[in-house]
Structure formats: structure tokens, C-alpha cells
Amino acid sequence: MRTHTRGAPTVFFISLLWPLLAPAVAAAEVDPSGGIPFMGGNYNGHPMLYFNRGDVEEMQYAATGTHREMARRIREAGEIMLEHPEEYLPPWSPAEFSARWNEVYGNNLGVLSMFCVLYPHRAGALDLAKDYMERMAAQPSWLVKDAPWDEVPLAHSLVGFATAYDFLYEYLNKGQQERFLQVIGNASRLMYEKSYVRGWGFQYLHNHQPTNCVALLTGSLVYMTQGYLQEAYLWTKQVLSIMEKSMILLQDVTDGSLYEGVAYGTYTTRSLFQYMFLVQRHFAIGHFNHPWLLKHFAFLYRTILPGFQRTVAIADSNYNWFYGPESQLVFLDRYVLRNGSGNWLADLIHQNRVMEGPGQAGKGQRWCTLHTEFIWYDPGLFPKPPSDFGTSQLHYFEDWGVVTYGSALPADTNRTFLSFKSGKLGGRAIFDIVHKNKYKEWIKGWRNFNAGHEHPDQNTFTFVPNGVPFITEALYGPKYTLLNNAVLFGSATSGSCFKPWVGQVTEACDSKWLKYKVGLAADTQGRVEATMERQGMVFIRGEGSSAYSPELKIRNFQRNLLLLHPQLLLLVDHIHLDPDSPTRVMSAFFHNTDLPFQGTKIDGVHGAFVSHGEDKYKMFWMDDTGYSNKGVLGYWNYPRGYPYNGSNYVNVTMPLRYPHTRVAYIFFGPGVDVQSFSLRGDDQRVDIYLATKDHTYTIYLLTGEVTSKPLFAMVLLDHKKIVFEKAAAVVDSPPEEVEEYVNVMEDNLQHVKPVFQQMERHILGRVLNTASFRKTAERLLQFSDKKKTEEVIEKMFAMSKKQGKSKGGKKVNLGEKLSESLPDIFAQIEVNEKKERQRTSKRTYEDSPEEGDTDSRAFMDYTDGRKNRKGAFVKGRKFKEVHMVATAGSEGLSSTASYIRLFLLLNTATFFLLLAVILTRFQRARSLHTQRCFYTILLIDCFILLYLYSSCSHTQC
């Protein structure tokens, strides 16, 4: 029996060492805080948004050393603005300011203010920045005259202006400080009001939402620092109630993608990453271990075409990125990856930037993220490519429904990029949330999402052999099926945009935005059935029949891609019709936004080609009867209002037969010389024969719903066999709803009030015995009950005068005492605001049914977390208590942290005392029962010690 307790001291020694080992174990995981210190409401004036006054000198030093390359770009932007002020300064005239989309003014002000921070002695820089701000402050509105319903331009102006105010506060005179603050307050107040009635307040994961919310958050943080706590509190809570829902919903996006595509994705992350940084710094809300964030690098890395200048342009897009992506990449590296890959890719993209022509950064966006790139860059992370860099990799974005192959490679011979799209409208996460009624406390169907920037593009592809764009997307244009590399069907079906041709059900004939809210469009989806690489060949299969009207009675629309060689792609469309299908013809489109197509014909097989320098990139087509129809070549002009003029296209029209038809297309570059091409088929499969100068290919493609062999395809390359087996088919594994999602959001909202209460204590402590005390108290209570406010102020004023007669050393304590004498000004204003919102939302709904319907009263979040609310308590769980944390530079530790530290010290001493007693006095005790009692006591004390250590670690005591 004694042997069972003889090893107990060892166990206790391990327990003793565990608190020291635990941080090392935890370090292996991603730190939710990203290593960003929490300010805890302890501010020493401006700047405070992204850095403190004490950080400025270090930043100026870094600009000459570790950050000199980024500083050079900032200085270059500043010098250009100084050299041509008339070109970059906002106009004084309100009519001129609001005459067109004006995000450029807010976008450029951020980098100009950072230029002034890094180079304060540059002659004329501060004067230019102040003139810039004066002109913006002179505008009665930052909205665009022709789009008064869109707050996005206002958001760009607000975030730039508030950031500049924070960065340059000490350089502004008293009058400018007050006037500019009033401008920030007015703009933020308008954004706050509109957040209840505009789509960006409740349409989640859409680029407008983080853009506008971060602008409001930035304004509210500046307003908070200036002592306007009640309004800033409401604004902050509203931003967090919106964005924290988005962060939870984003957990369902398992592949790191954004459904609006790469270009608009960078628009979203420009602000989303600022949000993550700001809420961690100011409210200790950590998202840096978010599962979507851990995968997001792939969305930037796996979508770049060879040469690092363009990206896959799915959905509304330019040639690459709207914002950044260098800023986003250094952010990911510093706070998530920690391996140098983000810095490496940012460097490579910058080195290969297009300076003139297609692909160059927009004038209004090119400098917008330079200041955040400088702030977030970690020079300690040596640029290092991912381990698979240099080889073509196949990647499947299972939520987005996109496959890419050969991304992020140098543009060179046989460096080929291939992409394929066939997925659910809005991506799998959004589609399933809508159709499976997930997150029903927040989501009421498609009204909570906005897929307007998507295209009718199921079963579409792109092909870039040798880094040369051969088959491309048609970029930001009308939402027509024929403006994608997709298929239309001939039928007399009603509702088509180009009779008698019928496109996908989401195409919009008379709108700039995709149809997605109701009817057949709301249920549209494609599906990637297979994606695999075998011995250097790539096979992809997609099913797109659900993207077309059921009236067409298309049982299957299967598109198969086989990359046989880096410069040789085979595409086979398999269309299976129901017996009573009204369609007997199909029309396929292929685009190139840069180069015009020219027709060609060899041995009765029609084709087309584009010329790139002296090289020709060719395509040919025929169906399974050997028929090849001449294609129509042309250029589709876009209407006014789109950023691009149009696209070159090839249109191939082929007859359809019941029950099935196969049409094959081959695409090849100058390094492949195709000498023969034929195909034939039966019910089960289609056989394609290809002969080039160097090889012969025999492809057996099994297209039937039930096949004789468990294969998708088999390729005979000369005498080598390559098999694409069905066992490797794509298996869909959608995620479950986030458990207790309402409570998760409410827990994070609880982080706000302690910060504002700390601010309240600091503000009162600073103005004790000063002439501004009464004015400050009135400002703090400006939205409280007027009668009670007067009584409280008189009481506080009397206490302040009493303090003046006592010892000065008690000032801070009295500041806290004064704060405690105040009513809970934040709870009070929340109650008042909730009543007001209930009243106004009913009026909004009655006055404007469409707006009121999309607004919905279900999106109000003025709740106290501790009070009963539908959905607030799940499975008996209580909300997490949030404690304030003192940081370096703060004025004192919270009482909670102090008590925890005291108990931790006492318990540690007790633990060692008990351990010493056991080892010295009771190790040879006659009674085994006595030993066990002491070991039990020591074990209990060990658990208490671990609990206290965990609490102390949490509160940073």
C-alpha cells in the first residue's frame, strides 16, 4: 500500500513546475491577442489609435532603418502631393467635392498624416495636411450628390480624417482641434444613425460593412479620448454588435476565402484587419486565432497568376487587388503566421507592381494602406517563401467553390495557371446559413447578405499558359452569363436577357447587380465534383445544371477540364437532357480582356487564336459527332458606368441531341503542336484522341451517372496510364453552427463598458480642482436625465472643492470616488437608446416598407448581457465577467487584479510550507491515513494555486 503514495512528492513537484511550463505550451498556439498590448482605457492624449506618443520617436528611427523601404513609399507619396497640391487637395466647393465618387480624399489623408509623423520637419508637409483637413472640414457633407443613400464615400473620408486628427493632434491649434472634433462627431453621428437603416448594418460579410463600421469605430475612439463618453459608447457598442456577428459567421467560411472575390476581398480586409487590431488594442477582444484568419493567406497566395501582377478575377474585379495587399500580408505575418511568408509575398508583389497600363493600382487606392503597412510590419520576420513555392500546386477553396492550379509562380515557359468555379451562391457558408436556417437569432434569409457583386459564372474557368492570359474573366461588368466563360441554352423560356438564349438564373438584365434575393436565383448553385492531380496532369469536374432554369429540363451540365501538359488543356462539356427538354442548342463563350481573337480552321475543324508577340495561343472545338461550327468573334462593349470598356470573345454555338451531347475544346500554347484531334462517345463515356508532335493522348472520360468502372477519367500518354479515380471525389463537409453564438458575441460586447468606465475615472481625476471640472462633468452627463444631472454635478463639485483642501496625494482615489458617485451613465443611455430605436424602427418600417423590411427590428443590440433576453442564455451558461487590465503607463492596478495577486502570493507560500512539512516531518509517518490527508490538502491547494495563476495571467496582474 505504501508504494502507491511514495511517488506523490514527484507529482507535486511537476504540479509546481506546471505554471512555469504552461506559457511555453500555450505559445505553440496562435495568441488570440496577436501580441498587441491592451490599453485598458489608459490614454495619454493623442496619438492613441494605433500607437502612443512615446512610440513616435521609435517609428521615426525605424523609418531610417528596418522600415526604410515602406517609409520611402510613404515619403514618395507625400512628396508627390507636396509637388502637385492642386491635384490632390480636396476642393473648397461643396458642389465639386460631392460631384463624383470621392473616396480618394479620405484615402490619401491617412498616408499624408503618416508622412508628417515620420518627417515632421519636412517644410510644407504639416501646412499641406492642415490645409487638406480644413478643406474637408468646410464641406457640409462628405456624401456623393448622386448617391446620397451610400455612406461608403463618407466612411472613407471619416476614417482618413479621424486618423489624421489622431496622428497630428499636437500640431493643430486649439480652434482646429475643436472644429475638427466637431466634424468627426457629426460624421460619426450620421454613420451611427444610418447603421440602423442601411444594408451595411445587417448585411454580413459584405465589403461595405467593415468599411463603414471601422470608420464609425475610428470616429468613436477619437471622440471617446476627447471625453464624449456617452455618445462614443453607443457608437462603439453598435459597431461591435455588428462586427462581432460577422466574426462569428465568418467561422463558417472554412477555406479563408471571401465570396466577393480577390479584388473586393482586399477591400473588405483593408478595414477588417484594422477592426481586429483596434478592438484588441482598445477592448482586449482577440481574434487572431480565428479559424478563417488562419486560412486567409491561401486566399492571397493561391489566387495569383504567374508573374505576381494579376489575380484570378472571379466576381466584380479589376486585374488584381483594390487595396493592398501588402498591408494585409504583413498583418497576417506579424499577428498570425509568424513565419516570414507574408513579408515575402508582400515584397514580391511590390517588386512586380504594374506602374502603367492594365493592372496598375487605382489613383484613389494606391497609397491608402501604406500607413497601416508601416505600423504592422515586423522586420524580425525574415521573408521566407512557403515550402511548396516553385512548384505548381492544386488548391480547392471548398467554401468559395473555386479550384486553382499553378498560382504564385514566375511568368515563364510552362508556368501555367488554371482556375475553375462552380459553387453555391454567396459561398457555401452563406448559402447554407440562408437555406438551413442557421443563426436564426440574427439571420432572416438573403436580406442579411448581399451577393450583388457575384457573377452568373457557375462552371466557368480561366487558362493562363506560360503566364500569358489566354482565357480570362471579363472583369467588372454587367451581370450577363455571356460575359463569363459560361454556357447559354437556346429556348423560348421567359425572362431571358437575350432571347432566344437563356443564361443562368442569377443574371440581371436591367440592374448592375446580380439577382440573388428571391425566386430561382436565391437557390442557385454549382458543385465541384472532383479536383485531383496525377503525375503532372490535373483533372477537374463541375456540375452546373442547378444554375439554370428547371424549365430547360437539363438533367446534367457537366464540365470536365484535363490539363494534359502545361500548355495543353482539354475541356469537355457533357449535357444530358430530359426527354421533354425544350432546348436543342447551346452557346459557349470564351473571353480575353486584353487580346482580340482571330478565326482559323484546320481540316474542317474551326478554331480561334490570340497573338502574344510572335506566339500564337490557339483553341479548336468539335462535338462527339465530329461536327465543328464556325465561331463568332467580337468585342462586347460595356455600358457607361463600368470601370472597363468591354471584352473580346469567341462564341461557339453547337446543336444538342437527346439524351446527351459532348462538346470538346482544346487550348494550347506555342510549345505544343497539335496534329490531330477527334472524339466519339456512347452512353457511358466519351473517348478523345489527341496527337501532338511529341506525344499521343487517348482520354477515356466517363460521363454517365452510373459507370462501369469507378473512374472519372483515364489517360494513356504514349504507353503510360494515368487514372483519376472516383474514390478521390470531393466530399462536402459543411461546418456546424457556432455553439452558443449569441453568448459568444455578448461576451465580447461586455469588454466595452469597463474601458469607458476607466476613461471616466481618468477624466475626472485629471480635472479635479480645475476650472474645467464642471464643464467636463456636464459633458460626461450630457445625455443623462437633466434634473438628476444637476444634482450629481453639484455633489461632485462639492467633493472636488473638499478635495482641494485635503492632501494632494489622494487625488486619484477621489477621482474614482467621484466616478462611483455618478449614476451608471452607460446603462442609462443604453436604456434610453433602446426605447428610441424601438419607436423609430416602427416608424421607419411604416414609412418605407422596403427599407423597414430589410432593416428589421431584430437587429437591435442594446442589451445588458446580464439581463434576460431571447437567445441570451443557452444551456444555462452565464456571460463572462470582464475585468479591466492595467497596462504599462496606466495609473494603477484594478482592485480585482490586486486581490488575485495577494491571494496568489499567500497560496504560493502556503503550498511551499505544506510541501516542506510533508517532505520533512510526515514522510515516515506511521499512519498512512495521515499521509493521505496531507497529500489531499496539498493537492487541493495545488489546484487553487493553478486557478489563481490562470486568473492572474488573464488579468495580467
Side-chain angles (χ1 to χ4, degrees):
M1 289 292 293
R2 293 177 66 86
T3 58
H4 293 293
T5 58
R6 194 167 293 164
T10 306
V11 174
F12 289 121
F13 276 122
I14 294 173
S15 300
L16 179 65
L17 291 173
W18 173 250
L20 301 175
L21 298 173
V25 173
E29 302 176 0
V30 176
D31 180 2
S33 73
I36 300 168
F38 172 42
M39 297 303 296
N42 302 295
Y43 304 106
N44 187 24
H46 296 279
M48 48 72 69
L49 285 172
Y50 295 91
F51 51 85
N52 302 326
R53 189 181 305 169
D55 299 325
V56 171
E57 186 176 346
E58 184 180 338
M59 291 167 61
Q60 292 169 346
Y61 180 75
T64 63
T66 56
H67 290 57
R68 60 183 173 274
E69 185 57 32
M70 275 159 284
R72 182 189 61 78
R73 297 200 286 273
I74 291 171
R75 181 155 196 163
E76 185 178 275
E79 295 293 348
I80 291 173
M81 285 189 267
L82 278 171
E83 191 174 342
H84 305 283
E86 70 289 343
E87 188 177 339
Y88 292 95
L89 282 171
W92 284 104
S93 165
E96 189 179 347
F97 185 91
S98 63
R100 64 182 189 277
W101 194 263
N102 54 31
E103 71 178 63
V104 62
Y105 301 128
N107 287 352
N108 286 346
L109 186 51
V111 70
L112 179 58
S113 59
M114 179 59 90
F115 175 57
C116 294
V117 169
L118 298 180
Y119 306 102
H121 304 299
R122 171 60 172 93
L126 283 167
D127 291 337
L128 179 67
K130 287 189 275 190
D131 186 18
Y132 202 120
M133 296 182 74
E134 289 284 5
R135 289 166 179 252
M136 291 192 72
Q139 306 303 319
S141 171
W142 287 337
L143 294 169
V144 174
K145 180 182 66 175
D146 294 334
W149 59 83
D150 193 343
E151 285 77 42
V152 168
L154 188 156
H156 284 268
S157 293
L158 175 56
V159 75
F161 193 87
T163 301
Y165 182 88
D166 180 63
F167 287 7
L168 306 180
Y169 183 82
E170 65 176 308
Y171 300 109
L172 305 176
N173 61 44
K174 189 70 174 175
Q176 288 173 325
Q177 290 173 355
E178 292 178 356
R179 276 189 297 107
F180 294 169
L181 182 65
Q182 186 177 5
V183 169
I184 292 169
N186 291 339
S188 300
R189 199 171 294 113
L190 176 62
M191 291 292 287
Y192 172 70
E193 292 297 330
K194 295 302 182 183
S195 71
Y196 287 96
V197 296
R198 296 286 195 242
W200 59 268
F202 54 84
Q203 290 180 336
Y204 301 103
L205 310 184
H206 183 258
N207 69 87
H208 285 194
Q209 191 171 76
T211 298
N212 293 359
C213 283
V214 164
L216 179 54
L217 178 61
T218 306
S220 68
L221 288 171
V222 169
Y223 223 50
M224 173 191 75
T225 308
Q226 290 297 313
Y228 292 91
L229 298 187
Q230 285 185 307
E231 270 196 296
Y233 177 72
L234 288 181
W235 301 344
T236 303
K237 281 292 290 287
Q238 174 66 348
V239 169
L240 266 64
S241 70
I242 294 170
M243 289 301 299
E244 288 305 309
K245 289 175 186 173
S246 277
M247 296 307 298
I248 289 171
L249 298 178
L250 199 57
Q251 291 191 43
D252 278 21
V253 182
T254 57
D255 59 9
S257 69
L258 289 166
Y259 72 100
E260 292 185 290
V262 177
Y264 268 105
T266 59
Y267 200 155
T268 296
T269 54
R270 159 191 172 260
S271 297
L272 183 62
F273 288 0
Q274 289 181 59
Y275 173 81
M276 292 182 183
F277 181 92
L278 291 172
V279 295
Q280 170 55 43
R281 176 174 168 85
H282 299 287
F283 303 110
I285 300 173
H287 289 298
F288 295 97
N289 61 347
H290 194 289
W292 172 86
L293 194 64
L294 300 178
K295 294 284 191 72
H296 186 65
F297 177 75
F299 185 63
L300 296 171
Y301 179 58
R302 302 294 184 188
T303 54
I304 302 176
L305 273 59
F308 300 92
Q309 294 183 338
R310 297 189 181 189
T311 66
V312 61
I314 291 167
D316 280 342
S317 179
N318 60 357
Y319 286 94
N320 41 50
W321 312 273
F322 283 145
Y323 287 93
E326 295 93 332
S327 173
Q328 292 93 319
L329 286 165
V330 300
F331 176 94
L332 287 172
D333 215 349
R334 179 169 185 173
Y335 302 119
V336 183
L337 302 174
R338 303 297 303 167
N339 60 13
S341 293
N343 289 351
W344 167 82
L345 187 54
D347 287 346
L348 214 52
I349 288 172
H350 179 71
Q351 292 168 19
N352 290 278
R353 275 284 186 186
V354 176
M355 305 311 295
E356 290 186 14
Q360 66 178 335
K363 188 176 179 181
Q365 296 86 31
R366 56 181 171 169
W367 297 331
C368 179
T369 57
L370 290 180
H371 65 294
T372 51
E373 182 185 357
F374 185 95
I375 292 167
W376 293 333
Y377 175 65
D378 184 351
L381 297 171
F382 184 78
K384 180 182 177 183
S387 58
D388 61 12
F389 173 67
T391 59
S392 296
Q393 298 292 320
L394 185 66
H395 189 85
Y396 175 43
F397 294 95
E398 70 274 8
D399 188 273
W400 196 16
V402 171
V403 180
T404 64
Y405 176 77
S407 62
L409 294 169
D412 203 353
T413 302
N414 291 336
R415 298 295 198 182
T416 290
F417 180 85
L418 177 68
S419 73
F420 182 75
K421 160 78 184 294
S422 194
K424 294 181 175 180
L425 177 66
R428 183 183 66 188
I430 289 176
F431 190 91
D432 287 357
I433 288 170
V434 170
H435 288 80
K436 295 181 179 179
N437 198 27
K438 297 171 71 175
Y439 304 99
K440 59 185 178 182
E441 292 291 333
W442 301 338
I443 305 302
K444 313 299 177 187
W446 276 113
R447 75 177 65 181
N448 291 111
F449 300 102
N450 187 339
H453 281 300
E454 284 202 61
H455 287 192
D457 60 359
Q458 306 305 335
N459 273 11
T460 62
F461 77 106
T462 66
F463 183 45
V464 186
N466 301 336
V468 176
F470 182 13
I471 305 299
T472 73
E473 284 99 351
L475 306 180
Y476 199 142
K479 306 304 181 286
Y480 302 148
T481 305
L482 58 79
L483 291 179
N484 296 274
N485 301 313
V487 172
L488 290 83
F489 294 95
S491 174
T493 302
S494 61
S496 72
C497 298
F498 303 97
K499 293 182 179 180
W501 297 104
V502 180
Q504 297 182 10
V505 293
T506 52
E507 74 174 5
C509 306
D510 53 3
S511 172
K512 195 175 180 180
W513 316 117
L514 188 81
K515 284 197 303 189
Y516 69 93
K517 290 184 179 180
V518 295
L520 295 171
D523 301 324
T524 192
Q525 58 180 303
R527 183 174 72 255
V528 173
E529 295 187 333
T531 172
M532 59 189 82
E533 181 183 8
R534 299 288 183 269
Q535 300 182 44
M537 292 186 184
V538 175
F539 175 76
I540 303 169
R541 173 177 290 180
E543 172 57 50
S545 58
S546 296
Y548 295 86
S549 171
E551 294 180 25
L552 293 173
K553 297 188 182 300
I554 300 172
R555 182 180 297 181
N556 295 108
F557 169 34
Q558 183 189 103
R559 178 160 271 189
N560 300 271
L561 278 73
L562 254 170
L563 186 65
L564 301 167
H565 177 277
Q567 296 187 48
L568 176 59
L569 174 68
L570 169 68
L571 184 151
V572 179
D573 285 336
H574 165 79
I575 296 95
H576 189 168
L577 302 177
D578 285 333
D580 53 347
S581 172
T583 183
R584 284 296 181 267
V585 64
M586 63 173 284
S587 187
F589 280 80
F590 306 93
H591 288 268
N592 190 306
T593 50
D594 298 342
L595 305 171
F597 289 98
Q598 300 176 58
T600 186
K601 181 180 179 182
I602 300 177
D603 296 333
V605 180
H606 287 278
F609 67 92
V610 298
S611 296
H612 183 266
E614 297 182 357
D615 294 329
K616 287 183 172 58
Y617 291 81
K618 302 175 183 179
M619 62 178 290
F620 292 90
W621 54 84
M622 71 168 61
D623 69 9
D624 48 0
T625 67
Y627 176 70
S628 178
N629 191 24
K630 184 178 180 180
V632 176
L633 315 178
Y635 185 85
W636 191 280
N637 287 292
Y638 293 171
R640 290 188 62 185
Y642 289 95
Y644 299 98
N645 296 326
S647 176
N648 304 286
Y649 68 87
V650 177
N651 177 209
V652 179
T653 300
M654 301 290 275
L656 295 176
R657 297 169 302 281
Y658 171 78
H660 42 64
T661 303
R662 286 71 169 249
V663 182
Y665 310 82
I666 55 171
F667 307 83
F668 54 95
V672 172
D673 180 12
V674 176
Q675 297 178 338
S676 66
F677 167 43
S678 63
L679 68 155
R680 67 184 183 190
D682 57 27
D683 290 347
Q684 289 275 320
R685 74 187 200 203
V686 58
D687 301 341
I688 301 102
Y689 303 95
L690 270 172
T692 69
K693 184 179 178 181
D694 301 315
H695 301 286
T696 59
Y697 300 87
T698 303
I699 300 100
Y700 303 105
L701 187 64
L702 285 74
T703 57
E705 294 177 357
V706 179
T707 57
S708 58
K709 295 182 179 180
L711 305 176
F712 287 116
M714 182 171 67
V715 179
L716 298 179
L717 170 57
D718 299 327
H719 302 292
K720 184 169 65 173
K721 182 167 68 174
I722 298 98
V723 175
F724 300 94
E725 65 281 0
K726 279 194 172 181
V730 169
V731 178
D732 190 32
S733 303
E736 295 296 322
E737 179 181 271
V738 174
E739 187 177 355
E740 301 186 13
Y741 60 91
V742 174
N743 289 333
V744 173
M745 183 202 70
E746 293 289 357
D747 278 352
N748 284 340
L749 292 187
Q750 298 303 310
H751 288 233
V752 177
K753 187 183 286 187
V755 172
F756 278 83
Q757 289 172 330
Q758 183 80 340
M759 285 292 298
E760 183 185 9
R761 287 191 286 270
H762 286 184
I763 290 169
L764 290 173
R766 283 201 302 265
V767 296
L768 283 176
N769 304 318
T770 66
S772 61
F773 179 81
R774 181 181 290 272
K775 183 179 178 182
T776 301
E778 289 174 349
R779 179 187 294 180
L780 288 173
L781 296 163
Q782 69 183 91
F783 290 98
S784 302
D785 182 87
K786 299 298 180 186
K787 184 177 179 181
K788 291 182 179 179
T789 296
E790 291 296 327
E791 297 174 1
V792 171
I793 289 176
E794 289 301 326
K795 180 180 177 182
M796 291 168 59
F797 193 64
M799 293 176 68
S800 173
K801 290 171 66 178
K802 183 178 178 181
Q803 167 67 10
K805 298 176 183 178
S806 63
K807 295 181 181 179
K810 295 184 180 178
K811 277 191 176 183
V812 172
N813 292 335
L814 186 62
E816 294 184 2
K817 198 171 181 181
L818 286 170
S819 175
E820 291 170 4
S821 71
L822 282 172
D824 187 340
I825 61 176
F826 306 111
Q828 185 177 339
I829 194 174
E830 276 190 300
V831 171
N832 295 341
E833 186 68 7
K834 182 179 179 181
K835 292 177 181 177
E836 177 66 16
R837 290 298 156 194
Q838 287 174 337
R839 184 176 61 83
T840 57
S841 69
K842 186 174 187 297
R843 188 174 67 243
T844 301
Y845 183 81
E846 291 169 350
D847 293 347
S848 176
E850 186 176 348
E851 278 288 317
D853 182 60
T854 53
D855 169 15
S856 180
R857 284 152 287 185
F859 303 105
M860 279 184 236
D861 291 290
Y862 282 98
T863 58
D864 182 354
R866 292 168 171 64
K867 295 183 180 176
N868 201 0
R869 173 180 181 263
K870 185 179 178 183
F873 290 91
V874 181
K875 298 179 183 178
R877 181 180 181 278
K878 293 183 179 180
F879 290 117
K880 179 175 63 180
E881 187 71 33
V882 178
H883 302 290
M884 285 303 299
V885 179
T887 61
S890 68
E891 296 180 16
L893 294 165
S894 70
S895 59
T896 303
S898 299
Y899 282 125
I900 291 175
R901 183 174 62 178
L902 176 62
F903 283 123
L904 179 63
L905 293 173
L906 291 174
N907 197 266
T908 303
T910 304
F911 179 85
F912 277 109
L913 178 63
L914 287 171
L915 188 63
V917 169
I918 287 176
L919 293 176
T920 58
R921 302 291 300 272
F922 290 94
Q923 190 65 20
R924 298 181 179 180
R926 295 179 181 179
S927 172
L928 182 61
H929 177 72
T930 303
Q931 284 194 26
R932 286 180 173 173
C933 285
F934 268 91
Y935 283 136
T936 301
I937 293 170
L938 192 58
L939 181 63
I940 293 170
D941 192 66
C942 180
F943 283 124
I944 294 172
L945 184 62
L946 289 172
Y947 173 77
L948 288 172
Y949 177 82
S950 174
S951 300
C952 192
S953 175
H954 176 72
T955 58
Q956 300 179 15
C957 67

